[in-house]
Amino acid sequence: MIRIENMISRAFLIGIIKMVDKNGVQNALEWLREIGEELAEIEGPGFEGAREDDINYLPVCPFSNTLLDFIAIYGERPSQFVELVNLSNKQMREAEDGWEYPALTTVTGILHHSYIKRRGKLAGVELLNVGSRCPRTNNIVYNEKALEKANMTKEDVDKYLEKAYYVCKINYLKKE
C-alpha cells in the first residue's frame, strides 16, 4: 500500500521509469542532472557528509531506503534504472573529462551527484567522486579519471568505502 508520506518519492521513481520509456535514456539522464542542479541552486552553497582532510564522504547512502523499498515492491531493479546507471558509467569512462561524472551504483546517484557537485561549486570547491558503494549489493564502482586527478588509489578510497557509500576528493577552486 502506498502511504501518503511516501507517495511523492515513489511517484518520482516511477517518473524516472516513464521518462526513460517516453524520452530515452540520454534525455532521462539529463533530466535527472538538471533536477539535481536546480535543487542545489535552491539550497545554496555547501555540502553534507563527514570530512577527513580533503575527503568528503557520506556514511549513509542518499535515498537508499526509498530506493530499496521501491525495488522490493517492484520485484526487481527496473531495467530503466540499470540503463541509466550503465549509460552514465559509460560516459564517465569514455569522456575526456570523466572526473566530472559520478561513479554510480544506483540511479538516485545521478540526482545526488549533480546536486552535490553544484552545491560544492557554489561553495568554491570541486568535488571529484572517486568511488561509490551500492547499499544493496555492496558492489563498488570507481571513477578512474577522478582518482588520477585526485592523486588517489583505489586502496585510499576503500578505506572510506568501508564506512561510507559515496566518496569525494575536495579540490579548492582558485578565486579569480
Side-chain angles (χ1 to χ4, degrees):
M1 178 164 101
I2 295 178
R3 298 186 187 282
I4 195 75
E5 64 266 12
N6 59 20
M7 183 180 286
I8 294 293
S9 56
R10 289 188 185 163
F12 181 69
L13 292 171
I14 289 171
I16 294 171
I17 293 169
K18 296 297 182 189
M19 180 62 93
V20 170
D21 290 345
K22 285 185 169 193
N23 297 314
V25 181
Q26 181 61 47
N27 287 331
L29 188 62
E30 291 169 14
W31 176 70
L32 284 168
R33 288 175 181 157
E34 289 170 5
I35 291 170
E37 290 172 2
E38 183 71 24
L39 289 171
E41 290 288 335
I42 292 167
E43 187 69 22
F47 44 98
E48 297 84 20
R51 281 186 232 170
E52 289 181 25
D53 300 318
D54 289 339
I55 302 296
N56 175 253
Y57 61 93
L58 293 177
V60 295
C61 185
F63 321 113
S64 66
N65 288 343
T66 300
L67 184 59
L68 294 175
D69 288 347
F70 183 80
I71 290 170
I73 290 166
Y74 195 82
E76 62 182 63
R77 257 187 321 171
S79 63
Q80 296 88 339
F81 290 5
V82 175
E83 289 177 57
L84 284 161
V85 169
N86 289 343
L87 176 60
S88 181
N89 282 336
K90 180 179 183 225
Q91 290 175 347
M92 170 192 68
R93 288 188 305 272
E94 294 178 354
E96 276 190 43
D97 64 347
W99 60 83
E100 293 287 339
Y101 293 81
L104 284 183
T105 60
T106 65
V107 70
T108 52
I110 299 164
L111 172 74
H112 176 256
H113 179 76
S114 61
Y115 172 77
I116 67 157
K117 190 116 174 102
R118 183 68 187 134
R119 286 196 68 214
K121 187 173 182 181
L122 291 169
V125 300
E126 173 186 48
L127 295 173
L128 300 172
N129 175 221
V130 291
S132 298
R133 180 169 55 99
C134 181
R136 187 172 68 91
T137 64
N138 283 318
N139 288 341
I140 294 173
V141 175
Y142 302 97
N143 183 327
E144 300 283 347
K145 293 178 181 172
L147 284 168
E148 185 179 326
K149 187 171 181 180
N151 197 27
M152 293 179 72
T153 66
K154 290 179 182 177
E155 291 76 23
D156 296 332
V157 177
D158 287 345
K159 292 174 192 171
Y160 295 98
L161 287 176
E162 289 175 8
K163 58 186 173 187
Y165 293 92
Y166 201 82
V167 180
C168 290
K169 169 77 164 122
I170 303 168
N171 284 337
Y172 295 92
L173 302 173
K174 296 176 185 170
K175 294 186 180 184
E176 297 177 15

